[in-house]
Amino acid sequence: MVRSPSPAEHRLRRVTALLDLPGIIVGKAAAWLIVPMMFALVYEVVARFAFNRPTIWAYDATYMLYAAMFMLGAAYTLGRDAHVRADFLFNVLSPRTQGVIDALFIICLFFPAIYMFTMVTWDYAAVSWQRGERLPSSPMMPIIYPLKTVMPVTGALLLIQGFSELLKSGFAIATNRRYWQEPSVS
């Protein structure tokens, strides 16, 4: 028999679900960027090799779409605990110890780094918008400021997701259970 969660656990799960929501929405929406990216790649390959008519836009479109998809999916991936880590060492530890390590890393490394990334890229994107910046290394010279805007948005999403992950670590510390683990049999 599985015990029902306590009121405190139920509240925690509601709060983390709310904090996870922006990353889920943006991550799932960003996943659809694969469709125009693949279209651009296929179009370029066919145009280049079948008709000997390469495009000047496909490379720019492809790397911009891929960069946006990669960055906007970061918070979603963090929320699903799908980022790379040394699981072969980490998983032999108790959930409480895992929670302590995660909490320490989130507080000492993750938050400062992502906060600085967000602040720096906010200014970077703002200047790009003010200048109407274009990419000079491309013959098409596409606008680059929408892609640069994705960077501080990614930072903000990661900060929100970081708070959720910190709460999940606190849960592991308090209960000696992984957040995703089912409640124990009573």
Side-chain angles (χ1 to χ4, degrees):
M1 177 178 194
V2 176
R3 70 169 177 80
S4 61
S6 69
E9 183 178 338
H10 182 68
R11 281 191 302 276
L12 173 73
R13 289 187 183 277
R14 282 193 2 224
V15 168
T16 58
L18 187 62
L19 289 170
D20 290 348
L21 195 57
I24 291 169
I25 292 169
V26 172
K28 287 186 175 189
W32 284 98
L33 292 175
I34 195 79
V35 174
M37 187 181 87
M38 291 306 299
F39 171 77
L41 283 170
V42 169
Y43 187 90
E44 171 63 17
V45 168
V46 170
R48 180 178 298 263
F49 294 110
F51 302 107
N52 197 26
R53 306 278 299 173
T55 66
I56 63 169
W57 58 267
Y59 173 76
D60 295 326
T62 300
Y63 90 78
M64 287 184 194
L65 288 167
Y66 178 73
M69 184 176 62
F70 179 84
M71 287 188 284
L72 293 172
Y76 177 82
T77 306
L78 179 61
R80 296 292 152 286
D81 196 25
H83 282 288
V84 176
R85 72 162 83 205
D87 283 340
F88 66 96
L89 297 173
F90 195 72
N91 286 340
V92 299
L93 303 172
S94 72
R96 181 169 284 129
T97 305
Q98 291 176 5
V100 168
I101 292 169
D102 275 344
L104 286 172
F105 281 171
I106 289 168
I107 292 167
C108 296
L109 298 174
F110 181 81
F111 280 145
I114 297 300
Y115 175 77
M116 290 303 298
F117 172 80
T118 306
M119 292 299 100
V120 168
T121 58
W122 177 267
D123 292 338
Y124 187 61
V127 168
S128 186
W129 276 89
Q130 289 169 351
R131 293 180 180 166
E133 190 173 10
R134 294 182 170 273
L135 193 62
S137 61
S138 167
M140 196 173 93
M141 291 190 65
I143 58 173
I144 193 71
Y145 45 89
L147 182 61
K148 288 186 176 184
T149 304
V150 169
M151 291 185 271
V153 169
T154 296
L157 289 168
L158 283 169
L159 285 171
I160 293 167
Q161 190 63 49
F163 283 109
S164 177
E165 298 308 306
L166 186 59
L167 290 173
K168 293 170 189 175
S169 297
F171 174 83
I173 294 167
T175 64
N176 199 28
R177 285 190 293 132
R178 293 285 307 214
Y179 181 81
W180 298 109
Q181 184 177 333
E182 290 296 321
S184 60
V185 175
S186 49

